[in-house]
Amino acid sequence: MSATPGPVPPGRTPARPEDGPEEGPEDGGGLVPAGRPARYRAVFAVPEFRAVFAAHLLSSLGVVVCEIALSVLVFRRTDSPLLSALTFALGLLPYVLGGTLLSAVADRYPARRVLVVCDLLCASAAAGMVLPGTPVAVLLALRCLIAAIAPVFAGTRAATLGDILGAGDLFVLGRSVIRIVNQSAQLVGFGVGGLLVAVVTPRAVLALTVLTFLGSALLLRLGTRARPARDGGGPAAGRGALLGASLGGVRRLLADRRVRALLLLTWLPPAFVVIPEALLVPYADRLGAGPGGAGLLMCSMPIGAVVAESLVGSLLGPRARSRLTFPMGVFAVLPSLGFAAQPSLGWAVLLLVLTGTGISYNFGVDRWFVAAVPEELLGQGMTVVQAGRMTAMGLAMGAAGLAAEYAPLRAVMPAAGVLGVLCVLAVIREVRRTAPTAPDRPGPTTGGRDRSPAPAESDR
């Protein structure tokens, strides 16, 4: 794959990061009136997207509740804070395995089948946690299985949004809705999960998780269309061929300079953003804020993310959202510098809310990435995006904890801001250098698969 700008893949929307897409009738695949930018209402007007949204809402809540219930169950069984904390860490670390070794699944098999099977596998793993007497090692292994499946599911779903919503502004807004659900699930899930664990047993809560995965599978099976495999629907290959295809696809993606730069832009800001978040419990303890203060600090960043994502998606058009990408990518890591002043609880909450608003940089990156990746690798590309992001965040959290063992929090937290600004600016420079020179207006589809919104017809 060449790193230099070339012909835009058929059916794709070319995008220039400097200007962003024009607002016009092409955005939204014809569902948006001429001269008006797409809004969230247009996304929810697509029946298939409503099914994907409801399924994601169920499974996201299920994952969060599962983490809480499993953490409590492991702690009660072992009385070990380390093993209890591992249940959360194991929700991040296996991403790199699933996202690398299994990434070709997203393009090799029909998307709906992949999504449904992933949900059923997660439901089976959660059911194994419910069984009485399941050893702690098996509980943690099952948690790893769910985490390894997650990037394949997320990448396949992201590529499916391109089929459902087209490659224009509706796709960008659809991805935005998914991020809003992710952040909201943290807020609601931790509260509901904590309440449920206080009222019923952790195993009963895990049983509820099984139902959320099954509900998600049912919604995706009945609410989305059957589409052929993205790579042309060739015969299924054995395990070795799948591994080779996954690694080969990852190599192709990383060999493209433009794709590589965009991948780094999706990975680096979140990695530096989570460093102060990983240290909020010891920081709250330093302030003497107690568990309540720690909980308030942990909720602050998701609140900022949900508010910013909703406002930017609702009030701004495609061009304005794209122009926000670079400034907000840098701004996301700047509030960490404020922790050098050892702010009080109120000021710390404000810094974290501001940090959360940086999530709005994703609007432009999503559109540029889907335009840069070849059609046959889109599912694998979105899988690598998710796997890399979660792995980078997990490694950053571990590095933050290690640094805090030897340096004061007032030094570690702002250091993340300084290093983050330097790294993000370097990546932005590379993204600018690899920007395509094609006109920033989508042209007619000249071949390939039609990626415009299609009616929701399920072959039941």
Side-chain angles (χ1 to χ4, degrees), residues 95-111 114 118 148-149 151-153 155-156 159 228-253 375-384 387:
Y95 265 75
V96 68
L97 297 177
T100 302
L101 304 182
L102 301 176
S103 57
V105 170
D107 294 314
R108 174 166 292 191
Y109 302 100
V114 173
C118 284
I149 293 171
V152 177
F153 182 90
T156 306
R230 193 173 295 275
D231 68 353
R239 179 182 304 174
L242 175 61
L243 176 62
S246 297
L247 295 176
V250 172
R251 283 195 295 268
R252 285 184 61 191
L253 291 168
E375 173 72 16
E376 71 275 10
L377 285 178
L378 181 58
Q380 191 166 3
M382 301 306 293
T383 301
V384 171

Side-chain angles (χ1 to χ4, degrees), residues 113-209:
R113 185 191 306 171
V114 173
L115 294 174
V116 171
V117 170
C118 284
D119 267 333
L120 293 179
L121 288 174
C122 289
S124 300
M129 299 176 187
V130 178
L131 297 176
T134 304
V136 171
V138 175
L139 291 175
L140 297 179
L142 292 172
R143 180 67 189 98
C144 284
L145 175 62
I146 293 176
I149 293 171
V152 177
F153 182 90
T156 306
R157 181 187 58 220
T160 299
L161 288 182
D163 295 323
I164 295 173
L165 300 173
D169 200 39
L170 284 190
F171 172 81
V172 176
L173 290 176
R175 290 274 291 165
S176 172
V177 171
I178 296 299
R179 289 193 296 270
I180 291 174
V181 170
N182 290 338
Q183 298 295 328
S184 301
Q186 291 186 44
L187 294 172
V188 177
F190 279 121
V192 172
L195 180 62
L196 288 174
V197 169
V199 175
V200 298
T201 65
R203 292 190 186 279
V205 179
L206 289 171
L208 180 63
T209 298

Side-chain angles (χ1 to χ4, degrees), residues 24 31 56 90 92 120 166 172 180 205 224 254 363 367 382 435:
L31 295 181
H56 182 55
L90 292 177
L92 295 177
L120 293 179
V172 176
I180 291 174
V205 179
T224 61
L254 295 179
F363 280 100
R367 182 153 189 161
M382 301 306 293

Side-chain angles (χ1 to χ4, degrees), residues 45-135:
V46 182
E48 272 191 284
F49 178 79
R50 294 199 296 269
V52 173
F53 167 78
H56 182 55
L57 183 61
L58 272 179
S59 60
S60 296
L61 289 173
V63 168
V64 175
V65 169
C66 175
E67 288 179 341
I68 296 171
L70 186 61
S71 178
V72 172
L73 178 62
V74 169
F75 183 74
R76 290 180 180 177
R77 292 272 301 273
T78 65
D79 200 31
S80 169
L82 174 60
L83 290 178
S84 179
L86 268 179
T87 62
F88 289 98
L90 292 177
L92 295 177
L93 298 180
Y95 265 75
V96 68
L97 297 177
T100 302
L101 304 182
L102 301 176
S103 57
V105 170
D107 294 314
R108 174 166 292 191
Y109 302 100
R112 187 177 69 175
R113 185 191 306 171
V114 173
L115 294 174
V116 171
V117 170
C118 284
D119 267 333
L120 293 179
L121 288 174
C122 289
S124 300
M129 299 176 187
V130 178
L131 297 176
T134 304

Side-chain angles (χ1 to χ4, degrees), residues 2-31:
S2 172
T4 58
V8 178
R12 289 296 181 81
T13 301
R16 278 193 330 189
E18 290 83 355
D19 299 323
E22 294 284 348
E23 299 175 11
E26 296 89 344
D27 285 320
L31 295 181

